[in-house]
Amino acid sequence: MRWSQALIPTLKETPADAVAASHILLTRAGLIRQLGAGAYTYLPLGLRVLRKASQIIREEMDRAGAQELLMPALSPVELWKESGRHANMGGILMELKLSGDRHYVLGPTHEEVVTDIARDLINSYKQMPITLYQIQTKFRDEPRPRFGILRTREFLMKDAYSFGSDLAQLNTAYDAMYEAYCRIFDRCGLPYAAVEAESGPIGGDSSHEFMVPCSVGEDSLIQCGACGYAANRERAEIGKPGQAVPQDHSAPAHQKVHTPGVRTIEELSKFLKVKTSATAKLLVFMADDKAVAVLIRGDHEANEAKVRRAFGASTLEPADAQQIIKATGAPIGFLGPIAIKIPFAVDHSVAAMATVVVGGNEEDVHFTGVIPGRDFALDRVLDLRNAEQGDPCPRCAGTLSVAQGIEIGHVFKLGTKYSKAMGANFLDDQGQSHNSIMGCYGIGVNRILAAAVETGHDDNGIIWPLAIAPYDVLVVPLQVTNALVMADAALLEERLTDAGFDVLLDDRDLRPGVKFKDADLIGVPLRVVISERGLKEGTLEVKWRHEKEAKTVPLQGGADAIAGMMREARAAHAAKCETRQVIRKSGHSSTN
RNA sequence: CGGGGCGUAGCUCAGCCUGGCUAGAGCGCCUGGUUUGGGACCAGGAAGUCGGAGGUUCGAAUCCUCUCGCCCCGACCA
């Protein structure tokens, strides 16, 4: 491709609206262009990267035995009513009415559509296991699109769905997808972590998110540096706190303090001049419509999934002001564990405190000097809060660290949620009918670009990983009006193209500085400069985007040398992927 | 949905507070010339419903009302 003919609208200045590095650089390098909030055009350069990532995904999905199909974005609303998600997806479902009174949905994901296919076409245990996938545009009415292509209303997703006749088939399919995901992200050159995620209906270790650590990530990634434990914030367990501070049960009884209008932990902390970590808050939830409470240290956050499990509830939501008064007799802001009448659980960190400040279950009253276990019961002490930086690891003696991350993939064991709701059944070898057992597996293709740029750039621009770069080699003739220079550039382009590389030739008649700046900006891995100066010496200049220094290679046989360098780099990367695969095999599998 | 910010040329922005000549600059683009290894210079040129509607006024980019869009923080996120 000749740059002079290509639509690569690079920008010298930073677009005013862009904040994230990926947004700024993808725009400046001419890969994307914003149309509206959460809607982007992929210009030729951007599309090339999307295609390369998609191709890697396809190859690995096929290798894992999945079959590609293509489902429509448009689906009848009835399907969504059948599954129950028409009511449950919040506001993100994009709905539209077509002429007449036909009511459609633009698919935010495709469990319903694929389950509809399965109930029609997969009726026998002999057809299973089977995994189907597609790479297709999804639509979600995101309340707040963000960070360029990181969160958009329309995005490319690889979604796969497995159907099995028993749990063993589900586990096999899940493990195959997990391994395929590792291979995909390895090949794409992304620094990712597979973390445990909230497992949903099947329980156990049945969901993983693939995250790329990065400051603009919207998810939290909790990791133990010592043993490799990794989970998202919703899922992360916390180890038991170390030796508790000794309690003095013979200490004077707790004190009643008048705290007019002191409703928040912040206010309480200021009013009594104690640290927020010396206080505790009683949070009331409606667990399957029954009021329950948890006692959490003032500076901590409750984890609703943990609270839900603690009370064995299937649904949980925070109680509103009225429910709280009804349940505790006190207004919000003055709740405490002493003489409370609803079931409550205490977080480990509160149980370990020597004394604590809590609400008095009476307006404008708090108690100080409260001793856990003496002044209120410690029948139910559990892990109930979100993990934080420095918390003990649940698996070893290490401590947890918290980082932000971009979720680029998610694997999930669905079980029979959809097959049951929609009647996707099969007959077993005894002629008995069962619901198919499903798994679903998603990859955000656009997010691969965003994550690659977030983790691969410098002050001058993008540094693409080899495997998904829009072009492999950028050939830069410095004097395009010099016929000799151009002839050599054209020859090099031809040779490298014939050798199977994607070549961009910067034939624009611009000053060298401009061409170098643009080269760094778009981040093509290998840059080859052909100049009058070099030709006199019989050399080409070759520079990797990720390295500082350029090398010279002889003009004679230059194409072969450059092709060799590229092949070597590819081989080195493949070897690295291979090594990681071996490490995974020798390590623990996802389901043990 | 709550809070904050911003809409003026393809991009970055000035002008608005305190209304008044033909609405400006830099970058980019077009023409010509000089330049040529890290975002050159000179001369000339094209390019704008000042987001939109209504109002106030002799007169509105500027003041008022409404509205649309975009960005950030929060809520939300199968």
Side-chain angles (χ1 to χ4, degrees), chain A residues 488 492 530 534-535 537-540 553-559:
Chain A
D488 280 319
L492 189 61
I530 302 173
L535 291 195
E537 299 166 6
T539 59
L540 299 170
V553 303
L555 182 61
Q556 277 299 329

Side-chain angles (χ1 to χ4, degrees), chain A residues 208-528:
Chain A
H208 287 85
E209 286 178 0
F210 290 80
M211 310 241 271
V212 174
C214 144
S215 62
V216 294
E218 297 176 279
D219 295 282
S220 291
L221 160 66
I222 283 99
Q223 284 174 298
C224 172
C227 71
Y229 174 77
N232 68 8
R233 170 151 286 175
E234 193 183 17
R235 169 75 182 183
E237 300 162 39
I238 301 168
K240 292 210 172 139
Q243 195 55 44
V245 184
Q247 291 179 339
D248 179 6
H249 282 217
S250 62
H254 60 262
Q255 311 271 306
K256 186 170 172 176
V257 189
H258 185 56
T259 51
V262 178
R263 286 167 191 282
T264 67
I265 290 293
E266 280 300 312
E267 289 164 1
L268 181 64
S269 159
K270 269 196 190 139
F271 186 85
L272 295 176
K273 297 189 172 58
V274 296
K275 286 185 181 165
T276 53
S277 59
T279 69
K281 53 193 171 189
L282 190 85
L283 304 175
V284 180
F285 293 91
M286 303 306 290
D288 295 339
D289 301 326
K290 265 180 55 191
V292 299
V294 293
L295 190 67
I296 306 282
R297 215 169 75 184
D299 57 326
H300 288 156
E301 274 173 23
N303 178 306
E304 292 193 17
K306 292 178 181 179
V307 175
R308 184 173 56 75
R309 277 195 296 272
F311 292 97
S314 58
T315 66
L316 186 92
E317 42 186 77
D320 62 34
Q322 302 229 313
Q323 290 167 324
I324 287 173
I325 294 207
K326 203 175 152 205
T328 66
I332 201 160
F334 302 99
L335 308 182
I338 297 174
I340 193 95
K341 294 195 181 59
I342 54 175
F344 77 99
V346 179
D347 185 70
H348 286 301
S349 57
V350 176
M353 293 166 80
T355 69
V356 60
V357 179
V358 297
N361 288 326
E362 187 183 327
E363 184 149 14
D364 297 344
V365 172
H366 281 83
F367 292 140
T368 63
V370 172
I371 298 179
R374 183 191 72 174
D375 299 327
F376 59 88
L378 292 178
D379 303 336
R380 217 184 313 196
V381 178
L382 296 164
D383 173 16
L384 296 168
R385 65 184 174 89
N386 283 338
E388 289 181 2
Q389 184 78 31
D391 277 335
C393 173
R395 301 279 187 272
C396 75
T399 56
L400 298 176
S401 65
V402 179
Q404 298 300 107
I406 299 173
E407 182 187 352
I408 51 172
H410 197 165
V411 291
F412 200 91
K413 293 181 188 175
L414 284 173
T416 55
K417 180 174 174 193
Y418 295 94
S419 52
K420 196 169 173 185
M422 298 179 61
N425 305 321
F426 68 95
L427 294 179
D428 66 15
D429 57 1
Q430 307 294 311
Q432 299 289 307
S433 181
H434 305 277
N435 299 131
S436 299
I437 300 176
M438 296 171 58
C440 69
Y441 318 93
I443 290 179
V445 185
N446 316 259
R447 283 185 176 182
I448 290 179
L449 306 213
V453 177
E454 288 293 340
T455 56
H457 68 269
D458 62 17
D459 291 345
N460 294 319
I462 301 171
I463 304 173
W464 286 112
L466 212 49
I468 59 172
Y471 287 94
D472 298 312
V473 183
L474 177 65
V475 175
V476 186
L478 283 192
Q479 296 82 20
V480 299
T481 49
N482 179 321
L484 277 176
V485 170
M486 273 310 284
D488 280 319
L491 189 63
L492 189 61
E493 177 193 30
E494 194 187 323
R495 290 271 170 80
L496 290 172
T497 303
D498 288 348
F501 298 103
D502 295 331
V503 182
L504 180 62
L505 174 59
D506 187 357
D507 61 335
R508 296 173 303 168
D509 186 9
L510 294 172
R511 294 167 63 85
V514 178
K515 296 171 77 145
F516 289 139
K517 287 287 184 191
D518 270 348
D520 285 348
L521 185 56
I522 69 169
V524 171
L526 195 64
R527 186 189 80 187
V528 182

Side-chain angles (χ1 to χ4, degrees), chain A residues 51-64 179-192 408 448 452 464-469 569-570 572-578 580-581 584:
Chain A
R51 286 236 171 95
K52 290 206 174 179
S54 302
Q55 185 54 31
I56 290 172
I57 292 170
R58 275 202 179 90
E59 287 171 15
E60 294 300 336
M61 294 308 288
D62 291 347
R63 175 204 284 268
E179 173 63 18
Y181 276 34
C182 292
R183 295 177 61 99
I184 288 164
F185 300 133
D186 278 343
R187 284 184 62 185
C188 287
L190 294 175
Y192 67 95
I408 51 172
I448 290 179
W464 286 112
L466 212 49
I468 59 172
R570 281 183 179 175
H573 181 240
K576 205 192 267 174
C577 294
E578 198 71 22
R580 298 184 63 133
Q581 188 195 340
R584 281 198 302 277

